[in-house]
Amino acid sequence: MRQRSARLDQNGFSTVKLGTSRFSLDDPYYLILAMSWRAFLLSVVALILGVNVIFAVLYWLAPGSLANAHPHSYADAFFFSVETLATVGYGEMTPANGYGHVVSTIEILVGLFLTAFVTGGFFARFARPQPRLIFSRTAVIAPYEGGRALMVRVASRRIHAISEVRGRISYLKTIELQGGGNLRRFYDLKLVRNENPVLSLSWTLIHPIDEASPLFHLTKERMAAETPRLMVSISGFDEAISSQINDRHSYLPEDIEVGRRFAHILTDLPDGAVQLDLTRMHETEPVAAEADQLAGLTVS
């Protein structure tokens, strides 16, 4: 039977892969990092309970192997297993014969490996850098220096600045080949500025839509045929955690607003500081523009 893995990634792609599994056990480290926190915690609880259930059955199948345990009591066997696996050792119940000592010794060794495995999983998940970036929910097309431009806004949720920031916008579309079939191709969109020495406030990535732009002759009809997608990638160095971070976001045609611009979110305070209002990060407002400035991309 062919294995089939399907998921919706953070770029909005509905990806289906045949011949592989999303929950493959041959790469446990990746599995631990890729699953959600809820799935990870439930897996840890299920694993610990499962090990205790198995060893409790081994004690229960050998009456007399535990001192001070009620005869044929699975509850006593289970709680002794919990105490042994956790190396608590309250002392009320103890192994009573050679069989009990052998099983409890094996369980202690399993508990040591299990503790190391779970601790390593928690550490790996907590130690993984989180970018904590905010991308505007929509991209906008607004007048820019006598023409028009595509704009995307990004900011950091953290107080500390991100240095050596690089931005990239790629345009993905489906091309029909002459011999039949389709080809998905990426086009890098030229930005007014693709580097930022420090990201402490917000940053608007701007792509001028001129004759050299892949978006210049794009119309609503072509968008429906090509099903394009904008891919925005941000990388930088987080000074607070001393680690490189990367994040990305995608925009579908319905996520692009024409004839609107981002609302102002920066305010100069009397003491000279600059206030960044992230509560208005996604707000846009209409702009007055001549028809020829915004002609072509009618996707709103």
Side-chain angles (χ1 to χ4, degrees):
M1 180 182 296
R2 290 191 301 177
Q3 291 180 308
R4 182 176 184 269
S5 176
R7 66 187 297 265
L8 189 67
D9 64 20
Q10 70 185 91
N11 297 312
F13 287 111
S14 180
T15 305
V16 178
K17 292 185 178 181
L18 299 178
T20 185
S21 173
R22 182 182 177 186
F23 300 104
S24 177
L25 296 179
D26 59 355
D27 193 357
Y29 180 74
Y30 173 80
L31 180 62
I32 290 174
L33 294 180
M35 66 174 57
S36 65
W37 268 108
R38 180 180 180 181
F40 175 71
L41 294 176
L42 289 177
S43 299
V44 169
V45 172
L47 179 61
I48 294 175
L49 288 178
V51 171
N52 280 302
V53 167
I54 292 173
F55 279 97
V57 170
L58 295 178
Y59 295 124
W60 178 70
L61 290 176
S65 61
L66 299 179
N68 300 322
H70 295 86
H72 305 290
S73 173
Y74 181 79
D76 283 356
F78 177 79
F79 287 115
F80 176 77
S81 174
V82 172
E83 296 166 9
T84 302
L85 190 69
T87 65
V88 175
Y90 289 120
E92 182 176 351
M93 290 184 290
T94 59
N97 53 30
Y99 175 86
H101 282 289
V102 170
V103 175
S104 61
T105 299
I106 296 175
E107 185 173 11
I108 290 174
L109 293 176
V110 172
L112 292 175
F113 285 109
L114 184 60
T115 300
F117 176 78
V118 173
T119 303
F122 273 101
F123 177 79
R125 293 182 65 91
F126 276 112
R128 181 176 54 177
Q130 298 293 333
R132 302 291 294 172
L133 296 178
I134 308 175
F135 293 86
S136 56
R137 293 195 186 100
T138 59
V140 299
I141 294 178
Y144 178 77
E145 294 187 352
R148 53 199 171 101
L150 172 75
M151 304 179 187
V152 174
R153 185 156 65 183
V154 63
S156 175
R157 290 187 177 94
R158 292 197 172 103
I159 300 299
H160 294 84
I162 300 175
S163 60
E164 304 301 328
V165 184
R166 294 177 178 269
R168 179 180 181 181
I169 300 181
S170 300
Y171 172 63
L172 171 65
K173 70 175 182 178
T174 302
I175 301 175
E176 293 186 2
L177 302 177
Q178 293 182 352
N182 297 325
L183 175 66
R184 301 174 69 87
R185 177 173 294 177
F186 280 100
Y187 297 88
D188 286 333
L189 302 185
K190 184 179 180 180
L191 302 179
V192 174
R193 185 180 62 181
N194 63 353
E195 295 183 357
N196 197 339
V198 60
L199 178 60
S200 57
L201 298 172
S202 64
W203 183 21
T204 300
L205 282 71
I206 303 174
H207 164 65
I209 304 178
D210 51 24
E211 294 183 356
S213 170
L215 307 180
F216 187 72
H217 296 292
L218 192 62
T219 62
K220 190 173 183 179
E221 291 72 20
R222 288 185 59 186
M223 275 199 165
E226 298 175 356
T227 60
R229 187 186 308 265
L230 294 176
M231 311 284 291
V232 182
S233 303
I234 299 292
S235 62
F237 185 80
D238 193 317
E239 299 175 354
I241 60 177
S242 298
S243 179
Q244 184 75 16
I245 60 170
N246 300 276
D247 203 359
R248 59 186 182 273
H249 190 74
S250 70
Y251 298 90
L252 297 173
E254 56 266 28
D255 299 324
I256 303 175
E257 297 182 314
V258 179
R260 300 184 69 87
R261 66 183 178 189
F262 291 117
H264 294 292
I265 58 176
L266 299 178
T267 304
D268 293 325
L269 300 179
D271 60 357
V274 179
Q275 175 180 280
L276 173 63
D277 186 3
L278 292 179
T279 62
R280 304 186 62 197
M281 177 72 183
H282 310 290
E283 291 185 15
T284 61
E285 55 191 22
V287 293
E290 298 180 0
D292 59 345
Q293 285 184 295
L294 298 177
L297 273 174
T298 55
V299 295
S300 60

